[in-house]
Amino acid sequence: MSIQHLLVPLNGHAGDAAALDAALRVAKRFDASVEVLSLRPDPQRVLAYTGAEMAVATSMLLEGAEKASNEVAARNRAVFEAASAGTGPEVEFREETGSETAAIGHRGTVADLIVTPGPGQDPNASRAVLEAALFETGRAVLIVPGPVAEDFAERILVAWDGGKEASRSVAAALPFLEAATAVSVYTRDEGEDRCTAAELVRYLSRHGAPANRIAEDDPKQGVDAAILTAAQRANAGLIVMGGYSHSRFREMILGGVTEHMLFHSDRPVLMAH
């Protein structure tokens, strides 16, 4: 398996530039291409919320929606042009108007990796994009909380619970893991019916990844905080973990490891569901 094509959805988010920069760094490392998907809001959608008796209000709303759509499109184009200036990986620009979920679900199924900003920067702007990438494509998502270093994927932490989501994430991350200089495996609970961290280390070693298990630091920490602490101790620039082992609704309402990591991780997270 290799990474040959990345998808970067843009929707006017403040973190779009950092996400695209990270994607270009990944593409350069793996000699891959990048598809920039400019998501432009459809001004006509405003008509669904107004009646014929509100013709004047509808006209004003439509005018405002068209202006906002044009502004998003202009920001997306500017981010693309700034990132793709000069020599570098092959970059394609595509614009879609309408449903973000449909556009990402369509284009994401033919990408090896989808790269998005983290929702901690602007939850309203990025939540739909991130959820569409995670739940509508069957692909892994690289979630970027801010600017990344050139070598951000040299040292990697795998947060392992033996579940299918973590397994899918590891499989998607194999090109990164095989190319890394150090891979640390962190686990909190190892049930008898799940693959252990030691077994994962052996599996990664068969792929040539320099893997080892990192010891528990503070068992009293919550799992989310413990993962971030382990990443700091391992000096890892990238975290690999499964996304939403429990229901999305439960994690969003009651809190969960995935939700905490999405909003609070200070380094990129590669996640699959």
Side-chain angles (χ1 to χ4, degrees):
M1 175 185 171
S2 63
I3 295 175
Q4 292 297 317
H5 188 63
L6 296 91
L7 178 70
V8 186
L10 306 181
N11 71 337
H13 185 281
D16 282 346
L20 180 51
D21 178 66
L24 292 173
R25 293 180 187 277
V26 173
K28 181 180 178 181
R29 181 166 190 170
F30 296 107
D31 194 23
S33 60
V34 177
E35 178 180 333
V36 176
L37 180 62
S38 174
L39 299 166
R40 179 173 183 156
D42 183 0
Q44 294 296 324
R45 293 183 68 185
V46 73
L47 299 179
Y49 303 99
T50 59
E53 70 280 2
M54 300 177 63
V56 175
T58 297
S59 177
M60 294 175 63
L61 286 170
L62 185 57
E63 182 179 346
E66 288 176 344
K67 180 181 178 182
S69 178
N70 290 336
E71 289 174 350
V72 169
R75 287 199 297 271
N76 291 347
R77 172 65 72 169
V79 167
F80 162 73
E81 291 180 348
S84 59
T87 59
E90 175 190 342
V91 184
E92 171 191 1
F93 185 85
R94 179 190 299 268
E95 186 172 88
E96 297 279 354
T97 301
S99 168
E100 295 172 333
T101 299
I104 295 171
H106 179 201
R107 301 306 308 165
T109 54
V110 287
D112 295 313
L113 182 68
I114 304 171
V115 185
T116 75
Q121 300 172 75
D122 187 348
N124 293 328
S126 64
R127 188 80 200 206
V129 170
L130 175 57
E131 290 191 354
L134 271 175
F135 296 105
E136 302 298 328
T137 68
R139 301 293 182 169
V141 183
L142 179 64
I143 302 148
V144 180
V148 299
E150 182 78 34
D151 60 350
F152 78 94
E154 287 292 324
R155 301 179 65 87
I156 301 173
L157 179 84
V158 178
W160 181 251
D161 65 1
K164 64 180 184 297
E165 290 83 7
S167 177
R168 289 170 180 163
S169 299
V170 167
L174 275 178
F176 291 97
L177 297 167
E178 291 168 352
T181 58
V183 176
S184 300
V185 176
Y186 170 80
T187 190
R188 168 62 64 87
D189 298 314
E190 294 189 317
E192 294 181 359
D193 59 339
R194 293 196 170 189
C195 177
T196 66
E199 289 174 301
L200 177 63
V201 168
R202 286 196 296 272
Y203 168 78
L204 293 175
S205 297
R206 293 188 182 105
H207 281 271
N212 63 84
R213 180 176 179 179
I214 187 170
E216 179 75 79
D217 186 44
D218 181 3
K220 295 180 181 180
Q221 273 189 316
V223 176
D224 41 21
I227 291 172
L228 292 175
T229 298
Q232 292 170 353
R233 285 194 289 129
N235 194 26
L238 173 64
I239 297 172
V240 174
M241 62 179 285
Y244 294 103
S245 299
H246 302 294
S247 75
R248 180 174 18 166
F249 178 81
R250 171 182 168 183
E251 291 226 7
M252 289 177 64
I253 302 302
L254 302 179
V257 176
T258 304
E259 285 289 306
H260 184 92
M261 294 297 294
L262 291 179
F263 282 90
H264 299 290
S265 178
D266 58 353
R267 61 205 71 201
V269 178
L270 192 152
M271 185 179 291
H273 175 72

